[in-house]
Amino acid sequence: MTDIILHHYGLSPFAEKVRIGLGLKQAAWKSVDIPSIMPKPDLMPLTGGYRKTPVMQIGADIYCDTQLIMLELERRLPSPAFLPEGREGEARAITMWADRLIFSPAVGVVMSQVADRFGEDFKKDRSDFSGRSFDPERMRAALPFLRDQTYALLSVAEAMLAGDAKFLLGGEPSLADCALYNPVWFIQQHLGATASPLDRLPGIVAWVERMGALGNGKRTDIKASDALDIAKAATPGKTSVDGGDPSGLKAGQKLSVTPDDTGKVPVTGTLVGLTADRISIARRDERVGDVVVHFPRSGFIVQAL
Ligand SMILES: N[C@@H](CCC(=O)N[C@@H](CS)C(=O)NCC(=O)O)C(=O)O
């Protein structure tokens, strides 16, 4: 298999979801360090505008959003599995719950306490990214509410980890654990191992140690320019369009794909792949030649051009 390349930075919690997943799969992978704010000049030739972190590259195939990155890793490296047999839906549903509901208040708990540490460039970038002004005072005022929300949501996971359950779905770690690890890891990195509300959640604190022991797989650092050369030398993998898809989209159509929440930069290209889980568009860039950019369906707005 062509190498897995992860474009990411150390303190990105969504990147940690993938890194811990690579640890679970004991995978070898290549790492490209990207900036945490725009501009990201070595990422744009690959994604065509998608700016979020992380992005996975395998040859000339570019995978955006951890929802899809994890599914693609599962497809290419099926064992040990992210999705336990018969419980795939459950693992994915818990993942969406962690990504979409727990992440935001948990990050808010951190940001409201460290907001003053960031420079003007970061504040401006995150205001553009989220569509909401990065205002330390407003964030500090929201801390009690954000902590309550995080506590309430994490208490559900705490209950799942009661008794003999070492991981959310039982004896083995799954995709659901990687997703929950993301916000809990972020709180711990910035505020400490038992920072509130983790001080009231001993089951989660013990679980997070078991998760951390999975490690990050076998990582090799490479330069961004090497990754771009790899894309240029590669040919995208085969994809196909489901002609019966309810969207009515057809192969060869020009369209744009845009995240529906943050970092709403449209990526335009030609439809080459469509399934219930993913949409794939082909684009050409001077630096990397022909690439195919893959997105999950859920959480992305597709517009025919
Ligand atoms: N739904 C996305 C969320 C990714 C996300 O929001 N990542 C954050 C970093 S953890 C980000 O992109 N921040 C702005 C940036 O890195 O430019 C995913 O699952 O990959």
Side-chain angles (χ1 to χ4, degrees), residues 247-293:
S247 65
L249 292 168
K250 299 285 172 244
Q253 234 178 306
K254 294 254 179 296
L255 43 83
S256 70
V257 183
T258 314
D260 71 357
D261 50 2
T262 50
K264 298 183 194 173
V265 184
V267 179
T268 57
T270 305
L271 184 68
V272 291
L274 191 64
T275 68
D277 274 335
R278 71 173 72 186
I279 181 157
S280 310
I281 58 178
R283 38 177 304 279
R284 196 177 168 72
D285 176 276
E286 222 175 80
R287 175 68 177 87
V288 295
D290 291 319
V291 292
V292 169
V293 191

Short mmCIF file of all heavy atoms in Angstrom, two decimals, residues 247-293:
data_model
loop_
_atom_site.label_atom_id
_atom_site.label_comp_id
_atom_site.label_asym_id
_atom_site.label_seq_id
_atom_site.Cartn_x
_atom_site.Cartn_y
_atom_site.Cartn_z
N SER A 247 -29.49 12.06 -4.28
CA SER A 247 -29.13 13.43 -4.67
C SER A 247 -29.36 13.68 -6.16
O SER A 247 -29.50 14.82 -6.59
CB SER A 247 -27.65 13.71 -4.37
OG SER A 247 -26.85 12.87 -5.20
N GLY A 248 -29.36 12.60 -6.94
CA GLY A 248 -29.50 12.76 -8.39
C GLY A 248 -28.20 13.21 -9.05
O GLY A 248 -28.16 13.45 -10.27
N LEU A 249 -27.12 13.32 -8.30
CA LEU A 249 -25.84 13.76 -8.89
C LEU A 249 -25.32 12.71 -9.86
O LEU A 249 -25.52 11.51 -9.67
CB LEU A 249 -24.81 13.99 -7.78
CG LEU A 249 -25.09 15.18 -6.85
CD1 LEU A 249 -24.18 15.13 -5.63
CD2 LEU A 249 -24.93 16.50 -7.60
N LYS A 250 -24.64 13.18 -10.89
CA LYS A 250 -24.16 12.27 -11.93
C LYS A 250 -22.65 12.43 -12.11
O LYS A 250 -22.10 13.54 -11.96
CB LYS A 250 -24.84 12.58 -13.28
CG LYS A 250 -26.35 12.40 -13.26
CD LYS A 250 -26.76 10.91 -13.27
CE LYS A 250 -28.26 10.72 -13.05
NZ LYS A 250 -28.63 10.00 -11.83
N ALA A 251 -22.00 11.32 -12.48
CA ALA A 251 -20.55 11.34 -12.72
C ALA A 251 -20.22 12.42 -13.73
O ALA A 251 -20.94 12.61 -14.72
CB ALA A 251 -20.09 9.98 -13.23
N GLY A 252 -19.15 13.15 -13.49
CA GLY A 252 -18.70 14.17 -14.45
C GLY A 252 -19.27 15.55 -14.17
O GLY A 252 -18.84 16.53 -14.78
N GLN A 253 -20.23 15.62 -13.24
CA GLN A 253 -20.83 16.92 -12.92
C GLN A 253 -19.83 17.80 -12.16
O GLN A 253 -19.06 17.29 -11.34
CB GLN A 253 -22.02 16.69 -12.00
CG GLN A 253 -23.30 17.31 -12.48
CD GLN A 253 -24.43 16.97 -11.53
OE1 GLN A 253 -24.69 15.80 -11.23
NE2 GLN A 253 -25.12 18.00 -11.06
N LYS A 254 -19.88 19.09 -12.43
CA LYS A 254 -19.04 20.04 -11.67
C LYS A 254 -19.78 20.43 -10.41
O LYS A 254 -20.97 20.74 -10.46
CB LYS A 254 -18.79 21.31 -12.48
CG LYS A 254 -17.98 21.09 -13.73
CD LYS A 254 -16.56 21.63 -13.53
CE LYS A 254 -15.67 21.42 -14.74
NZ LYS A 254 -15.42 20.01 -15.06
N LEU A 255 -19.08 20.40 -9.28
CA LEU A 255 -19.76 20.76 -8.04
C LEU A 255 -18.80 21.29 -7.00
O LEU A 255 -17.58 21.23 -7.16
CB LEU A 255 -20.57 19.59 -7.50
CG LEU A 255 -19.96 18.19 -7.50
CD1 LEU A 255 -19.10 18.03 -6.29
CD2 LEU A 255 -21.08 17.17 -7.48
N SER A 256 -19.40 21.82 -5.93
CA SER A 256 -18.58 22.28 -4.81
C SER A 256 -19.01 21.53 -3.55
O SER A 256 -20.18 21.14 -3.41
CB SER A 256 -18.71 23.79 -4.60
OG SER A 256 -20.00 24.09 -4.11
N VAL A 257 -18.04 21.30 -2.67
CA VAL A 257 -18.30 20.63 -1.40
C VAL A 257 -17.78 21.52 -0.28
O VAL A 257 -16.63 21.98 -0.34
CB VAL A 257 -17.59 19.25 -1.35
CG1 VAL A 257 -17.93 18.52 -0.06
CG2 VAL A 257 -17.94 18.39 -2.56
N THR A 258 -18.63 21.79 0.72
CA THR A 258 -18.29 22.77 1.77
C THR A 258 -18.70 22.23 3.13
O THR A 258 -19.83 21.74 3.28
CB THR A 258 -19.08 24.09 1.53
OG1 THR A 258 -19.00 24.44 0.15
CG2 THR A 258 -18.55 25.23 2.37
N PRO A 259 -17.82 22.33 4.15
CA PRO A 259 -18.25 21.93 5.51
C PRO A 259 -19.44 22.77 5.96
O PRO A 259 -19.52 23.95 5.62
CB PRO A 259 -17.03 22.24 6.39
CG PRO A 259 -15.87 22.38 5.46
CD PRO A 259 -16.43 22.83 4.14
N ASP A 260 -20.36 22.17 6.74
CA ASP A 260 -21.56 22.93 7.13
C ASP A 260 -21.39 23.66 8.46
O ASP A 260 -22.30 24.32 8.92
CB ASP A 260 -22.79 22.00 7.19
CG ASP A 260 -22.75 21.03 8.37
OD1 ASP A 260 -21.75 21.02 9.13
OD2 ASP A 260 -23.71 20.26 8.54
N ASP A 261 -20.21 23.54 9.11
CA ASP A 261 -20.10 24.14 10.44
C ASP A 261 -19.02 25.21 10.54
O ASP A 261 -19.31 26.39 10.71
CB ASP A 261 -19.89 23.04 11.50
CG ASP A 261 -18.77 22.06 11.17
OD1 ASP A 261 -18.11 22.23 10.13
OD2 ASP A 261 -18.54 21.12 11.96
N THR A 262 -17.77 24.83 10.41
CA THR A 262 -16.66 25.79 10.53
C THR A 262 -15.73 25.63 9.33
O THR A 262 -15.81 24.63 8.62
CB THR A 262 -15.85 25.49 11.81
OG1 THR A 262 -15.52 24.10 11.82
CG2 THR A 262 -16.59 25.85 13.07
N GLY A 263 -14.88 26.64 9.11
CA GLY A 263 -13.94 26.54 7.99
C GLY A 263 -14.67 26.29 6.69
O GLY A 263 -14.32 25.40 5.91
N LYS A 264 -15.72 27.11 6.46
CA LYS A 264 -16.64 26.84 5.33
C LYS A 264 -16.07 27.30 3.99
O LYS A 264 -16.62 28.20 3.35
CB LYS A 264 -17.98 27.53 5.59
CG LYS A 264 -18.68 27.02 6.84
CD LYS A 264 -20.02 27.72 6.95
CE LYS A 264 -20.66 27.56 8.30
NZ LYS A 264 -21.86 28.36 8.44
N VAL A 265 -14.98 26.70 3.56
CA VAL A 265 -14.38 27.05 2.27
C VAL A 265 -14.80 26.00 1.24
O VAL A 265 -14.52 24.81 1.44
CB VAL A 265 -12.84 27.08 2.37
CG1 VAL A 265 -12.22 27.53 1.06
CG2 VAL A 265 -12.37 27.94 3.53
N PRO A 266 -15.47 26.40 0.15
CA PRO A 266 -15.88 25.40 -0.83
C PRO A 266 -14.69 24.84 -1.62
O PRO A 266 -13.76 25.58 -1.94
CB PRO A 266 -16.81 26.18 -1.79
CG PRO A 266 -16.83 27.58 -1.31
CD PRO A 266 -15.86 27.76 -0.19
N VAL A 267 -14.75 23.56 -1.90
CA VAL A 267 -13.76 22.93 -2.80
C VAL A 267 -14.52 22.54 -4.06
O VAL A 267 -15.56 21.89 -3.98
CB VAL A 267 -13.13 21.68 -2.15
CG1 VAL A 267 -12.13 21.04 -3.11
CG2 VAL A 267 -12.45 22.04 -0.83
N THR A 268 -14.01 22.95 -5.22
CA THR A 268 -14.73 22.65 -6.45
C THR A 268 -13.98 21.59 -7.26
O THR A 268 -12.75 21.50 -7.20
CB THR A 268 -14.91 23.91 -7.33
OG1 THR A 268 -13.62 24.44 -7.59
CG2 THR A 268 -15.74 24.96 -6.63
N GLY A 269 -14.75 20.80 -8.00
CA GLY A 269 -14.14 19.76 -8.82
C GLY A 269 -15.22 19.01 -9.59
O GLY A 269 -16.38 19.43 -9.63
N THR A 270 -14.81 17.86 -10.15
CA THR A 270 -15.70 17.05 -10.98
C THR A 270 -16.04 15.77 -10.24
O THR A 270 -15.13 15.09 -9.73
CB THR A 270 -14.95 16.69 -12.29
OG1 THR A 270 -14.52 17.90 -12.88
CG2 THR A 270 -15.84 15.94 -13.25
N LEU A 271 -17.32 15.46 -10.20
CA LEU A 271 -17.74 14.28 -9.43
C LEU A 271 -17.20 12.99 -10.05
O LEU A 271 -17.48 12.69 -11.22
CB LEU A 271 -19.28 14.21 -9.37
CG LEU A 271 -19.83 13.07 -8.52
CD1 LEU A 271 -19.53 13.29 -7.04
CD2 LEU A 271 -21.33 12.90 -8.73
N VAL A 272 -16.46 12.23 -9.23
CA VAL A 272 -15.95 10.93 -9.71
C VAL A 272 -16.33 9.78 -8.78
O VAL A 272 -16.16 8.62 -9.15
CB VAL A 272 -14.40 10.94 -9.89
CG1 VAL A 272 -13.98 11.83 -11.05
CG2 VAL A 272 -13.68 11.36 -8.62
N GLY A 273 -16.81 10.11 -7.58
CA GLY A 273 -17.17 9.04 -6.65
C GLY A 273 -18.31 9.45 -5.77
O GLY A 273 -18.36 10.60 -5.30
N LEU A 274 -19.28 8.53 -5.56
CA LEU A 274 -20.42 8.85 -4.70
C LEU A 274 -20.97 7.56 -4.10
O LEU A 274 -21.35 6.63 -4.83
CB LEU A 274 -21.51 9.55 -5.52
CG LEU A 274 -22.66 10.17 -4.75
CD1 LEU A 274 -22.20 11.31 -3.86
CD2 LEU A 274 -23.74 10.68 -5.73
N THR A 275 -20.96 7.51 -2.76
CA THR A 275 -21.60 6.41 -2.04
C THR A 275 -22.38 7.07 -0.90
O THR A 275 -22.32 8.29 -0.74
CB THR A 275 -20.57 5.43 -1.43
OG1 THR A 275 -19.87 6.11 -0.38
CG2 THR A 275 -19.57 4.93 -2.46
N ALA A 276 -23.06 6.25 -0.08
CA ALA A 276 -23.80 6.83 1.04
C ALA A 276 -22.85 7.53 2.01
O ALA A 276 -23.24 8.47 2.71
CB ALA A 276 -24.59 5.74 1.76
N ASP A 277 -21.60 7.07 2.06
CA ASP A 277 -20.64 7.59 3.04
C ASP A 277 -19.73 8.69 2.54
O ASP A 277 -19.17 9.42 3.34
CB ASP A 277 -19.71 6.45 3.49
CG ASP A 277 -20.30 5.68 4.63
OD1 ASP A 277 -21.12 6.24 5.34
OD2 ASP A 277 -19.91 4.50 4.77
N ARG A 278 -19.49 8.73 1.25
CA ARG A 278 -18.46 9.67 0.79
C ARG A 278 -18.77 10.26 -0.57
O ARG A 278 -19.48 9.67 -1.38
CB ARG A 278 -17.10 9.00 0.74
CG ARG A 278 -16.93 7.99 -0.35
CD ARG A 278 -15.50 7.52 -0.45
NE ARG A 278 -15.15 6.65 0.66
CZ ARG A 278 -13.92 6.18 0.90
NH1 ARG A 278 -12.92 6.54 0.14
NH2 ARG A 278 -13.69 5.35 1.88
N ILE A 279 -18.21 11.45 -0.80
CA ILE A 279 -18.29 12.08 -2.11
C ILE A 279 -16.86 12.44 -2.52
O ILE A 279 -16.08 12.95 -1.72
CB ILE A 279 -19.23 13.31 -2.08
CG1 ILE A 279 -19.31 13.95 -3.47
CG2 ILE A 279 -18.83 14.36 -1.06
CD1 ILE A 279 -20.57 14.76 -3.70
N SER A 280 -16.51 12.12 -3.76
CA SER A 280 -15.13 12.28 -4.22
C SER A 280 -15.11 13.14 -5.47
O SER A 280 -15.86 12.88 -6.42
CB SER A 280 -14.52 10.92 -4.54
OG SER A 280 -14.73 10.03 -3.46
N ILE A 281 -14.27 14.18 -5.45
CA ILE A 281 -14.19 15.05 -6.62
C ILE A 281 -12.74 15.13 -7.13
O ILE A 281 -11.79 15.14 -6.35
CB ILE A 281 -14.76 16.46 -6.35
CG1 ILE A 281 -14.05 17.17 -5.20
CG2 ILE A 281 -16.26 16.39 -6.07
CD1 ILE A 281 -14.56 18.58 -4.95
N ALA A 282 -12.64 15.15 -8.45
CA ALA A 282 -11.31 15.23 -9.08
C ALA A 282 -10.99 16.69 -9.34
O ALA A 282 -11.87 17.48 -9.71
CB ALA A 282 -11.34 14.46 -10.40
N ARG A 283 -9.73 17.05 -9.08
CA ARG A 283 -9.29 18.39 -9.41
C ARG A 283 -7.84 18.34 -9.86
O ARG A 283 -7.13 17.36 -9.62
CB ARG A 283 -9.50 19.37 -8.25
CG ARG A 283 -9.26 18.85 -6.86
CD ARG A 283 -9.44 19.94 -5.84
NE ARG A 283 -8.58 21.06 -6.14
CZ ARG A 283 -7.29 21.11 -5.84
NH1 ARG A 283 -6.69 20.12 -5.22
NH2 ARG A 283 -6.59 22.17 -6.17
N ARG A 284 -7.44 19.41 -10.52
CA ARG A 284 -6.09 19.48 -11.04
C ARG A 284 -5.41 20.70 -10.46
O ARG A 284 -6.02 21.76 -10.33
CB ARG A 284 -6.17 19.59 -12.57
CG ARG A 284 -4.89 19.31 -13.24
CD ARG A 284 -5.00 19.34 -14.75
NE ARG A 284 -3.66 19.33 -15.27
CZ ARG A 284 -2.86 18.28 -15.24
NH1 ARG A 284 -3.30 17.14 -14.77
NH2 ARG A 284 -1.62 18.36 -15.69
N ASP A 285 -4.15 20.54 -10.09
CA ASP A 285 -3.41 21.65 -9.51
C ASP A 285 -2.02 21.62 -10.13
O ASP A 285 -1.43 20.56 -10.33
CB ASP A 285 -3.31 21.45 -7.98
CG ASP A 285 -2.47 22.50 -7.30
OD1 ASP A 285 -1.23 22.35 -7.27
OD2 ASP A 285 -3.05 23.49 -6.82
N GLU A 286 -1.51 22.82 -10.39
CA GLU A 286 -0.19 22.94 -11.05
C GLU A 286 0.90 22.18 -10.29
O GLU A 286 1.73 21.51 -10.89
CB GLU A 286 0.17 24.41 -11.03
CG GLU A 286 0.79 24.91 -12.32
CD GLU A 286 0.98 26.40 -12.24
OE1 GLU A 286 1.97 26.82 -11.60
OE2 GLU A 286 0.12 27.13 -12.77
N ARG A 287 0.88 22.29 -8.96
CA ARG A 287 1.96 21.71 -8.15
C ARG A 287 1.85 20.19 -8.03
O ARG A 287 2.86 19.49 -8.00
CB ARG A 287 1.96 22.36 -6.75
CG ARG A 287 2.93 21.79 -5.75
CD ARG A 287 4.38 22.07 -6.14
NE ARG A 287 5.32 21.59 -5.16
CZ ARG A 287 5.82 20.35 -5.12
NH1 ARG A 287 5.44 19.46 -6.02
NH2 ARG A 287 6.69 20.00 -4.18
N VAL A 288 0.61 19.68 -7.92
CA VAL A 288 0.46 18.23 -7.64
C VAL A 288 -0.21 17.45 -8.77
O VAL A 288 -0.36 16.23 -8.65
CB VAL A 288 -0.32 17.98 -6.32
CG1 VAL A 288 0.47 18.51 -5.13
CG2 VAL A 288 -1.71 18.59 -6.34
N GLY A 289 -0.62 18.12 -9.83
CA GLY A 289 -1.27 17.40 -10.94
C GLY A 289 -2.68 16.98 -10.57
O GLY A 289 -3.39 17.69 -9.86
N ASP A 290 -3.08 15.78 -11.04
CA ASP A 290 -4.45 15.30 -10.81
C ASP A 290 -4.57 14.64 -9.44
O ASP A 290 -3.81 13.71 -9.13
CB ASP A 290 -4.83 14.27 -11.88
CG ASP A 290 -4.98 14.95 -13.24
OD1 ASP A 290 -5.54 16.05 -13.29
OD2 ASP A 290 -4.50 14.38 -14.24
N VAL A 291 -5.52 15.12 -8.66
CA VAL A 291 -5.79 14.49 -7.36
C VAL A 291 -7.29 14.27 -7.23
O VAL A 291 -8.09 14.90 -7.94
CB VAL A 291 -5.31 15.37 -6.17
CG1 VAL A 291 -3.80 15.48 -6.12
CG2 VAL A 291 -5.95 16.74 -6.18
N VAL A 292 -7.66 13.36 -6.34
CA VAL A 292 -9.08 13.21 -5.99
C VAL A 292 -9.23 13.53 -4.51
O VAL A 292 -8.47 13.01 -3.67
CB VAL A 292 -9.60 11.79 -6.32
CG1 VAL A 292 -10.98 11.57 -5.71
CG2 VAL A 292 -9.66 11.59 -7.83
N VAL A 293 -10.16 14.43 -4.21
CA VAL A 293 -10.40 14.85 -2.82
C VAL A 293 -11.70 14.20 -2.35
O VAL A 293 -12.73 14.31 -3.01
CB VAL A 293 -10.49 16.39 -2.71
CG1 VAL A 293 -10.47 16.81 -1.24
CG2 VAL A 293 -9.35 17.06 -3.46
#
